[in-house]
Amino acid sequence: MSPRVFRFRSLMIHWLSFCAILFTALRGNTQTPQGKSSHTQSEGSKPGVDVLEQGNFAPLHGKRVGLITNQTGVDSQGRRTVDVLAHAEGVKLVALFSPEHGMAGRADAPVTNAVDSATGLPIYSLYGETRRPTDAMLKGIDMLVFDVQDAGVRFYTYLTTMAYCMEEAAKHHIEFVVLDRPNPLGGEVIEGPMLDRVRPSFTGYFPMPVRYGMTIGELAKMFNAENKIGADLHVFAMVDWKRGKTYDQTGLKWIPPSPNLRTLNAAFLYPGIEILQSGGVSVGRGTDAPFELFGAPWIQAPDLTAELNRRAVPGVRFQTMLFTPDDGLYKGQYCQGASIIITNRAELNSMRAGLEIAAALHRLYPQQFHLEKIVELLGSQATLERLERGDEPARIIAGWSEELEKFRATRAKYLLYY
């Protein structure tokens, strides 16, 4: 064999060996590790409407159905629950009901009855002349189905709308079905004072904390039992949702549940920030970042932000903000205030943030900020009195622990997910 041929064969052997090693390495990298799913995150949580679809709508067969829903009532493919039920074999969808903000979720005022353009079905507003379905609206209906995304906050009115509909369903011997959806803030954290039992209202149906850590289906079970509603209730639980999951971990598309709750950051700040508006502060309605900023014409922004950052509120920092809202409180008026930047969501206690801001405003602007009025959504006279006395928010929060533990024990009886 010539030296040239020998060298050529040697090079070929080395080249083939290299290719074999490379192929093995690449093949190993494409294999699914043992015990791991090959599914992507996009195949995440499935809301109750998906479960209903997968069961071919069996519980609805032969029923004349009324659907309580809005723009958030969609399946994981983005199809409206209205359209899904309207085309479901064996199901007779006869009426639609909309909560606050209307069927499209855009109205920031009372809503009138309407007609759904796609199906021709009547849409009865439950945030207009009445906040409960009337006898006439329920005539001929065998089953009410509720599919609305809530915000995980006690004073969000969708909860009360559901409860009122359950009460009317019980009176009229109509079955009530809840298609469950995630609590966008997760299902573990509980925050805020308990609602005083003497303060039931449309923004406070049941004595519970501001953040209750339950899904809409779990709440329905608790309301039905604890308030002795007696509805013939059925909850379609989600698939692949665990209590620790916040909305951004579900794989579901975020649909703003109301006009001003546009981002998940806003949703996390909302429980503590929204209570401030009744005291005379704009909470960002009419700006590009509702609930992520606040202010008023009588605030001096540098003084306020210095005071708030001095307080070292966990999970957030404050930055001077100047704005002129084009809607809501102080519409068209130049405001000074602060934007709220979440630095660590895990450390954020939205109610602590809200109380710290309220305390700072009360200290700096006692004549302009009406602290006593925040009780409307805060829901606790004892908490208000401690704020008025100047107690530190951290100590006020610690004082809630006994009541929250009692609520946690009640809540545990109705949990569907772990």
Side-chain angles (χ1 to χ4, degrees):
M1 180 184 298
S2 70
R4 180 178 295 178
V5 172
F6 178 79
R7 284 196 300 272
F8 176 78
R9 287 186 175 180
S10 297
L11 286 170
M12 285 296 295
I13 291 169
H14 286 300
W15 173 249
L16 290 171
S17 298
F18 172 76
C19 288
I21 292 169
L22 181 62
F23 175 77
T24 301
L26 290 173
R27 183 171 181 267
N29 285 341
T30 59
Q31 289 177 335
T32 302
Q34 186 175 1
K36 299 287 185 181
S37 169
S38 61
H39 296 310
T40 63
Q41 179 62 32
S42 64
E43 298 178 24
S45 305
K46 303 292 184 188
V49 63
D50 282 52
V51 178
L52 183 65
E53 289 177 38
Q54 290 165 6
N56 294 318
F57 312 96
L60 278 60
H61 286 178
K63 307 288 186 182
R64 292 173 58 84
V65 175
L67 175 63
I68 308 148
T69 193
N70 62 5
Q71 80 287 353
T72 65
V74 297
D75 66 11
S76 59
Q77 303 302 309
R79 296 173 296 193
R80 292 195 313 165
T81 304
V82 173
D83 301 317
V84 168
L85 294 189
H87 296 100
E89 188 175 350
V91 178
K92 181 67 173 176
L93 185 62
V94 297
L96 305 175
F97 299 83
S98 65
E100 184 180 0
H101 307 299
M103 186 62 74
R106 296 175 187 156
D108 238 346
V111 179
T112 58
N113 295 339
V115 174
D116 181 61
S117 59
T119 62
L121 292 170
I123 303 172
Y124 298 117
S125 171
L126 299 178
Y127 194 75
E129 293 183 359
T130 180
R131 295 187 176 179
R132 296 172 176 268
T134 64
D135 293 351
M137 294 175 184
L138 294 174
K139 187 176 181 180
I141 289 178
D142 305 312
M143 175 184 286
L144 284 173
V145 176
F146 185 92
D147 190 18
V148 178
Q149 175 65 58
D150 79 312
V153 180
R154 182 187 69 213
F155 44 74
Y156 213 60
T157 63
Y158 297 166
L159 310 183
T160 306
T161 293
M162 178 182 71
Y164 285 177
C165 289
M166 289 171 61
E167 291 176 358
E168 296 306 316
K171 290 177 187 175
H172 290 81
H173 307 289
I174 294 171
E175 293 179 72
F176 198 90
V177 170
V178 176
L179 304 180
D180 211 3
R181 292 191 170 273
N183 184 318
L185 310 181
E188 294 179 333
V189 176
I190 295 173
E191 286 181 19
M194 294 287 288
L195 176 70
D196 292 340
R197 289 189 175 273
V198 296
R199 294 182 181 278
S201 70
F202 194 58
T203 53
Y205 176 78
F206 185 80
M208 59 186 184
V210 175
R211 276 185 67 179
Y212 41 77
M214 301 174 76
T215 69
I216 198 82
E218 292 171 334
L219 283 172
K221 286 165 58 70
M222 183 172 71
F223 293 168
N224 201 37
E226 298 295 326
N227 261 17
K228 298 179 171 55
I229 295 174
D232 184 3
L233 174 66
H234 309 274
V235 177
F236 277 77
M238 294 173 283
V239 173
D240 292 332
W241 187 80
K242 296 187 182 300
R243 305 215 71 79
K245 277 190 178 183
T246 54
Y247 203 92
D248 52 335
Q249 297 170 324
T250 64
L252 298 170
K253 179 184 178 182
W254 173 258
I255 300 174
S258 55
N260 291 297
L261 209 56
R262 299 173 191 169
T263 68
L264 192 58
N265 273 354
F268 270 93
L269 292 168
Y270 173 74
I273 303 308
E274 173 70 337
I275 66 172
L276 303 172
Q277 180 169 277
S278 55
V281 173
S282 166
V283 293
R285 287 183 169 87
T287 75
D288 292 335
F291 311 120
E292 297 183 63
L293 60 85
F294 62 95
W298 37 265
I299 286 174
Q300 297 297 313
D303 296 343
L304 179 61
T305 52
E307 169 68 14
L308 290 171
N309 286 322
R310 180 190 66 77
R311 290 170 175 264
V313 183
V316 295
R317 63 182 174 85
F318 299 89
Q319 185 171 297
T320 296
M321 175 59 67
L322 313 175
F323 63 96
T324 302
D326 58 24
D327 199 6
L329 187 61
Y330 303 126
K331 177 181 178 180
Q333 297 184 54
Y334 176 73
C335 296
Q336 296 189 47
S339 63
I340 312 163
I341 299 164
I342 298 177
T343 56
N344 188 324
R345 191 196 288 172
E347 292 181 359
L348 170 64
N349 181 311
S350 55
M351 291 308 303
R352 164 81 182 270
L355 294 189
E356 293 281 7
I357 295 168
L361 290 168
H362 182 56
R363 190 178 83 79
L364 294 173
Y365 311 102
Q367 300 305 313
Q368 295 91 345
F369 182 64
H370 303 289
L371 180 64
E372 72 283 358
K373 293 184 178 180
I374 73 169
V375 75
E376 178 184 334
L377 295 183
L378 182 64
S380 167
Q381 183 65 32
T383 296
L384 174 64
E385 290 172 358
R386 293 194 67 178
L387 277 172
E388 290 175 328
R389 289 200 304 265
D391 289 2
E392 293 181 4
R395 294 182 60 191
I396 295 173
I397 289 171
W400 298 335
S401 58
E402 184 176 343
E403 281 193 324
L404 294 186
E405 282 307 307
K406 290 179 181 177
F407 171 75
R408 197 179 292 273
T410 299
R411 162 185 174 272
K413 297 183 285 186
Y414 306 105
L415 300 183
L416 297 169
Y417 315 92
Y418 298 94

